[in-house]
Amino acid sequence: MTLAARIAPRLPPALIATGVALLYPRYEPELRRLADFCPGGGTAVDVGGWYGPWSRRLARRADRVVVIEPVPHLARVLAATTPAHVDVVNAAATDHDGGTAHLWLPAGDRGNRGVSSLVRRDIHSRSIPVPCVRIDSLGLTGVTLIKIDVDGSELDVLRGAEEILVRDRPALFVELEARIGPVDPVLNRLAHHGYRGWVLPGRDWLPLSEFDLPGQQLLTAHVAEHGLLRRSLSPFRRRYVNSVLFLHGSRRPGGAEAAGRGRGGRTGTDVGPTGPLPAAPGSAMLRGQRPVRVTVPPTEHGGSPMTRAIAVGVDGSPESLAAAAWAAREATIRGLPLRIVHAWLWQTIDVPVVQDRDAQTQSANAVVREAETQLAGRYPDLPVSAEVVPDTAVAALLAANEQAEMLVLGSRGHGALVGFMLGSYGQQVIAAATRPVVSVRAHAEDAGEPEGAEIVVGQQGGAEDSDAVLGFAFEAAAVRGATVRAVRAWSLPPVFAYSPGSMYLADEAGGLEPFEKKALEQALAPWRERFPDVPVIEHVEIGSAGEVLLSAASRARLLVVGRRVRRSAIGTRIGSVAHAALHHATCPVAVVPHA
């Protein structure tokens, strides 16, 4: 690992992005010659955005830039540090939509080194699941350039952009390395589409047909092992050429078709955004609201990319408004939009039903407006959508939950001892929800999250039983800079009541608690690796799971519990531990469904 790679995790991401943008034109001089092959205006696509050196430069020329970056935290950095007309898609560009792929990373690397890939190499030791998307499915038009840096899966990216290649014939800037994989399949495919390759080994562009790319890379392979700083700042360096420009037909770098007019037809190198961009057909990207511009394709059902919002159910009560405030803050720190949902028939027993349709609609809209008004002053940059659904509360909330990152509901009560009342609709929603549901206490937003408080999560069973629950807890801690307290409660097996000798044998073996600690350690291992910056406290205690969790969460920011998804003859159930947490924990409680 290079010195820069060791230092980078300790620096603010925005500072790294700025440094990379300054150094990269020396590392990759083609970036300084962008006007040679990237016409002004139109749409540019950056596949493999990393810290955004290409995205930023392309934003000066193109009317719209779409960045496809599979590493989640890098996608968030890009969304926060690039201009407003740059849209970020958190996915891997492939030849199919939907499902997930394994993104391979080196040991101890979160993607910062820029060598992650869908193709496993000897430098890789672990993988993370990432959603897949085709470039053609993004609904882009007027594409002038596609830059591809994916370390091995270039052919899949090109297959997923087949329609655009035929229709728009954009310039293609592709990183190709013979040490990673054969380059001929890519060259042959693009030749079939009428493209010719060009390289920039020195001051002048050369046709690829006159340049021995694999041979040059073999001679300078030692240079490829050097980091960005060394390769950028060394005054006497032999360049490792791994970038090929492909232009269609008779086009040449620097030709009239790529003359240097900047974005919006204006000249210059630093042209700012000109306003919100029209939505691309078939896409659901967010734009124009900084820094929330990360689009995450759904992995469960495939199809076009969509943004998962944080949804909150409101009914005008103080507890639902507290839930809306908590949801808005959560959406802000996670970089997601907020969706407010209100059902016409919220509580058919407690609230009289208005028979007049116009009056009922007016009343429902007033509930939504009240929530929007309260949030607008506190979160002016947060994208908020509101919807009045003419359906029962349970049906409306379950539909919202299925499409959301999480659903937030309010609960009321008089404290942990007496208990909190979620309401019958809330319990029904949690029992049947397919995605996380967070229950927020009335006035929780007024109290705020205790400074230095932890994210407490319950873990039980094997590692595979708690992946979804631990994943939710670690993500919540990461965006808050908080500590995770992982709690595993255990009790003596019933056999000890009937066989005292078994207790003796267990004591001789060192007791049962070491086994429980080992189980917790194994369950946490992949999440410690995935979130190396999140401090973790392991908490193993004998006792009832509900009681141990409630005790550990007495000063928590958030309590995360699981709910096993299973059907029975008597219907769905919340589970005893989740039930205890929902009714007696004083902090917000997230219930995460899992298999």
Side-chain angles (χ1 to χ4, degrees):
M1 186 182 294
T2 64
L3 176 63
R6 293 191 185 98
I7 296 175
R10 305 175 183 273
L11 300 177
L15 180 61
I16 299 173
T18 301
V20 168
L22 292 172
L23 291 173
Y24 217 78
R26 290 182 57 84
Y27 173 84
E28 202 161 50
E30 293 90 346
L31 194 54
R32 298 200 301 266
R33 305 280 291 272
L34 200 57
D36 286 357
F37 54 90
C38 181
T43 299
V45 182
D46 183 1
V47 181
W50 195 40
Y51 280 101
W54 276 84
S55 304
R56 289 185 175 196
R57 287 286 182 123
L58 290 172
R60 298 174 181 178
R61 300 190 60 79
D63 290 330
R64 179 185 185 193
V65 178
V66 176
V67 189
I68 304 176
E69 171 53 56
V71 179
H73 82 274
L74 290 180
R76 290 193 292 270
V77 171
L78 288 165
T81 59
T82 52
H85 62 294
V86 176
D87 294 309
V88 183
V89 181
N90 183 199
T94 63
D95 57 0
H96 63 278
D97 290 312
T100 58
H102 288 285
L103 182 70
W104 290 95
L105 303 164
D109 179 38
R110 301 173 58 206
N112 300 340
R113 291 170 58 184
V115 292
S116 58
S117 174
L118 299 185
V119 178
R120 187 174 188 179
R121 297 158 52 197
D122 55 0
I123 64 171
H124 298 135
S125 65
R126 68 185 184 94
S127 68
I128 60 173
V130 295
C132 299
V133 67
R134 291 183 309 124
I135 296 177
D136 281 336
S137 72
L138 298 177
L140 307 179
T141 57
V143 177
T144 58
L145 172 70
I146 302 176
K147 168 257 176 184
I148 302 172
D149 180 4
V150 292
D151 282 8
S153 58
E154 297 82 10
L155 207 54
D156 289 341
V157 176
L158 292 171
R159 290 193 193 102
E162 193 87 10
E163 297 171 14
I164 289 176
L165 296 188
V166 173
R167 184 193 68 216
D168 294 339
R169 297 176 178 177
L172 303 171
F173 188 82
V174 187
E175 290 205 2
L176 294 174
E177 296 189 62
R179 63 177 183 155
I180 294 177
V183 300
D184 284 345
V186 174
L187 302 182
N188 293 338
R189 187 173 194 87
L190 290 177
H192 173 73
H193 281 287
Y195 279 88
R196 297 171 58 206
W198 300 83
V199 292
L200 187 67
R203 292 178 179 271
D204 300 317
W205 291 96
L206 296 178
L208 182 60
S209 58
E210 301 175 11
F211 184 80
D212 182 7
L213 183 67
Q216 196 272 351
Q217 291 182 352
L218 184 62
L219 288 174
T220 57
H222 63 285
V223 178
E225 303 301 324
H226 300 163
L228 173 63
L229 279 174
R230 185 172 177 181
R231 289 171 68 177
S232 301
L233 301 179
S234 175
F236 307 104
R237 67 190 191 282
R238 186 171 186 179
R239 188 173 176 228
Y240 175 78
V241 178
N242 65 334
S243 302
V244 181
L245 170 65
F246 294 92
L247 297 177
H248 191 271
S250 60
R251 289 177 59 192
R252 301 173 60 90
E257 200 171 343
R261 276 197 173 272
R263 177 171 169 263
R266 293 173 286 178
T267 58
T269 58
D270 191 13
V271 182
T274 57
L277 297 171
S283 74
M285 292 186 182
L286 275 174
R287 59 182 60 86
Q289 294 285 347
R290 299 176 51 83
V292 188
R293 289 179 286 110
V294 180
T295 299
V296 183
T299 59
E300 293 88 353
H301 309 294
S304 298
M306 61 177 288
T307 300
R308 285 199 181 276
I310 290 182
V312 59
V314 298
D315 63 356
S317 65
E319 52 268 22
S320 76
L321 295 177
W326 189 94
R329 181 171 60 187
E330 190 72 9
T332 300
I333 63 176
R334 286 179 180 257
L336 295 173
L338 178 69
R339 181 188 178 203
I340 300 173
V341 179
H342 172 65
W344 280 7
L345 303 178
W346 194 258
Q347 291 178 331
T348 56
I349 296 177
D350 298 331
V351 180
V353 178
V354 180
Q355 298 301 324
D356 180 74
R357 184 179 182 86
D358 292 339
Q360 186 177 6
T361 302
Q362 193 174 28
S363 176
N365 289 334
V367 170
V368 170
R369 281 197 303 272
E370 182 182 10
E372 284 184 298
T373 301
Q374 289 201 12
L375 299 179
R378 301 175 66 177
Y379 304 96
D381 296 327
L382 175 65
V384 179
S385 62
E387 185 176 359
V388 176
V389 182
D391 205 342
T392 63
V394 172
L397 293 174
L398 284 175
N401 171 262
E402 189 173 345
Q403 300 173 9
E405 184 71 15
M406 70 182 77
L407 172 67
V408 184
L409 301 175
S411 63
R412 62 185 183 276
H414 304 285
L417 184 62
V418 177
F420 294 89
M421 297 179 62
L422 193 61
S424 60
Y425 68 83
Q427 295 189 53
Q428 292 179 60
V429 170
I430 291 175
T434 58
R435 298 190 61 80
V437 179
V438 180
S439 172
V440 176
R441 311 314 183 199
H443 312 301
E445 178 66 16
D446 296 336
E449 293 185 347
E451 191 66 31
E454 304 161 342
I455 305 297
V456 176
V457 56
Q459 191 277 326
Q460 61 180 352
E464 67 282 356
D465 297 321
S466 51
D467 265 357
V469 182
L470 291 176
F472 187 94
F474 271 82
E475 288 176 7
V479 297
R480 291 169 167 80
T483 297
V484 167
R485 178 178 291 272
V487 180
R488 183 180 176 95
W490 64 283
S491 56
L492 293 173
V495 67
F496 290 122
Y498 303 99
S499 176
S502 300
M503 177 78 77
Y504 174 78
L505 292 175
D507 288 340
E508 286 292 305
L512 295 178
E513 187 160 313
F515 293 97
E516 301 294 336
K517 288 183 177 179
K518 184 67 174 177
L520 178 59
E521 182 182 330
Q522 291 175 343
L524 290 171
W527 298 103
R528 285 181 185 272
E529 189 176 4
R530 191 174 299 183
F531 294 89
D533 299 329
V534 174
V536 181
I537 298 173
E538 297 179 17
H539 184 135
V540 177
E541 184 179 337
I542 187 171
S544 161
E547 292 177 359
V548 171
L549 266 178
L550 288 171
S551 174
S554 59
R555 289 282 297 163
R557 290 186 176 192
L558 177 69
L559 173 58
V560 184
V561 296
R563 178 186 67 80
R564 188 174 296 278
V565 178
R566 53 190 171 194
R567 297 283 177 178
S568 68
I570 59 174
T572 55
R573 297 175 59 246
I574 290 179
S576 59
V577 176
H579 188 275
L582 288 166
H583 286 79
H584 297 287
T586 56
C587 64
V589 177
V591 181
V592 181
H594 63 91

